[in-house]
Amino acid sequence: MLSPISSNIFVPAIPTLVIDFKSTSEHISLAVTIYLIFQAITPSFFGSMSDSFGRRPIYLATLIVYLGANIGLALMPTSAYWLLLVLRALQATGGSAVISIGAGAVSDVAATRTGYIHVLRSVFQAGAMIGPAFGPLLGGVFASTLGWRAIFWFLRRKARRDPDHEAEEKVDRPAKKPYQPLSAFWILFTPEILLLFIFTSLLYLEFYCVLTVYSTALLDTYHLTELQIGLCYLPSGLGSICSSLLNGRQLDYYYRKEEARVGGDYRKKPDEFRIHLTRIRCLVPFMWWAPFSSRSAGAWSRTLHLRQPSL
């Protein structure tokens, strides 16, 4: 949750940062763009490193970078705009490792619990969406009470954890793989993966385009406070959490139904198992709900103009 919450927790404070840094909203929003660029690229390297050198050493090393970046962001002078961008890049580099390492850990656990692999992945994804859901709200609370610097002190505090004194479970560790830094990028040469990558990128493009300009639009048009701006981000985040959990449940349901039909797993009977149909079925509820919700929100916003931000 560290990386997702760090990407947008200070978005409600963008208007305040514009004043303090004597800059424009476009320049301050660039700090979000810098974060997203490093958040997208660095997990590809850390994922391969965790397979070769172990997940815990990589996690601890990147956590130190993340803590240092948050301390720097909390103490940086407002006269150094370039420092904001550099520290945001370091913050993304340190915090984004948990994305790839967390996904790898879920795969490790799911390997011994084959019946719940999609549920485990949906729970992991829902946990990652808690940051975008509550991040702007927390950022609005800190910006309106303690100031925007408290946002980064909070992130530093949240990243600190007490040592785990519980007994470790003994497991058979797989052999370490050779480090291949570009291994994650080679899969883009697979046409199916490339198409999925482009489609998902367009969704995130739309999401973060709205995310960065939303706070400024709400301030200029509706004259909301930082706390009210943070509340306006809450519905979309909660919707993402619910859809992630729902999708994991229904994906497991359809997989088990198809396994019962063919009498085995899709790895054992790849010719009989309709894996593509099983996955596409999960899109049907969202395909119906998305146009309906968009039309309903548009009609409501035209009728009740003042309530448009909460939609």
Side-chain angles (χ1 to χ4, degrees), residues 128-149:
M129 294 307 300
I130 292 178
F134 295 96
L137 176 59
L138 293 173
V141 172
F142 288 126
S144 60
T145 55
L146 302 176
W148 61 266
R149 295 183 187 273

Side-chain angles (χ1 to χ4, degrees), residues 118-119 121-122 243-253:
H118 300 106
V119 174
R121 288 176 177 173
S122 66
S243 64
S244 178
L245 294 174
L246 172 63
N247 193 45
R249 291 289 181 179
Q250 70 168 348
L251 191 58
D252 257 5
Y253 168 77

Side-chain angles (χ1 to χ4, degrees), residues 21-185:
F21 278 86
K22 297 180 176 60
S23 184
T24 62
S25 59
E26 290 80 6
H27 288 162
I28 300 300
S29 297
L30 188 60
V32 179
T33 305
I34 292 293
Y35 187 97
L36 295 177
I37 292 174
F38 280 82
Q39 185 189 46
I41 297 176
T42 52
S44 302
F45 298 100
F46 291 137
S48 180
M49 291 176 66
S50 66
D51 290 337
S52 303
F53 308 113
R55 310 205 189 282
R56 182 177 295 178
I58 303 302
Y59 175 77
L60 293 176
T62 54
L63 184 62
I64 294 174
V65 176
Y66 180 80
L67 289 171
N70 282 309
I71 294 174
L73 286 166
L75 298 176
M76 65 179 174
T78 55
S79 59
Y81 168 73
W82 64 270
L83 187 58
L84 172 64
L85 302 182
V86 172
L87 290 176
R88 284 287 286 176
L90 289 176
Q91 185 188 38
T93 301
S96 62
V98 298
I99 298 177
S100 55
I101 296 176
V106 170
S107 299
D108 295 340
V109 175
T112 60
R113 297 169 175 82
T114 55
Y116 301 94
I117 182 171
H118 300 106
V119 174
L120 292 174
R121 288 176 177 173
S122 66
V123 171
F124 172 76
Q125 184 65 27
M129 294 307 300
I130 292 178
F134 295 96
L137 176 59
L138 293 173
V141 172
F142 288 126
S144 60
T145 55
L146 302 176
W148 61 266
R149 295 183 187 273
I151 295 174
F152 302 108
W153 286 121
F154 166 77
L155 292 175
R156 170 191 170 275
R157 180 71 178 178
K158 191 180 184 313
R160 293 181 58 187
R161 291 186 178 182
D162 294 331
D164 189 2
H165 299 289
E166 296 181 0
E168 294 184 1
E169 180 183 356
K170 294 183 178 181
V171 296
D172 296 330
R173 300 182 182 275
K176 294 184 178 181
K177 302 178 181 179
Y179 178 49
Q180 298 177 348
L182 301 179
S183 59
F185 297 98

Side-chain angles (χ1 to χ4, degrees), residues 228-302:
Q228 291 172 327
I229 292 174
L231 287 171
C232 292
Y233 286 93
L234 194 58
S236 62
L238 293 177
S240 299
I241 295 174
C242 294
S243 64
S244 178
L245 294 174
L246 172 63
N247 193 45
R249 291 289 181 179
Q250 70 168 348
L251 191 58
D252 257 5
Y253 168 77
Y254 286 126
Y255 261 72
R256 292 176 182 177
K257 187 176 180 180
E258 188 66 15
E259 286 177 356
R261 186 187 70 85
V262 301
D265 186 72
Y266 71 93
R267 294 186 180 90
K268 299 178 181 179
K269 297 186 176 182
D271 297 331
E272 301 177 31
F273 198 98
R274 300 175 298 185
I275 185 172
H276 298 295
L277 178 61
T278 303
R279 292 172 175 172
I280 292 176
R281 284 178 179 176
C282 300
L283 298 177
V284 175
F286 302 101
M287 291 173 62
W288 283 98
W289 178 251
F292 172 77
S293 59
S294 299
R295 289 180 177 271
S296 301
W300 193 13
S301 64
R302 286 192 295 268

Side-chain angles (χ1 to χ4, degrees), residues 184-201 275-276 279-280:
F185 297 98
W186 288 116
I187 63 175
L188 293 178
F189 289 95
T190 305
E192 295 85 352
I193 300 297
L194 180 61
L195 291 175
L196 183 62
F197 174 80
I198 295 174
F199 175 75
T200 307
S201 299
I275 185 172
H276 298 295
R279 292 172 175 172
I280 292 176

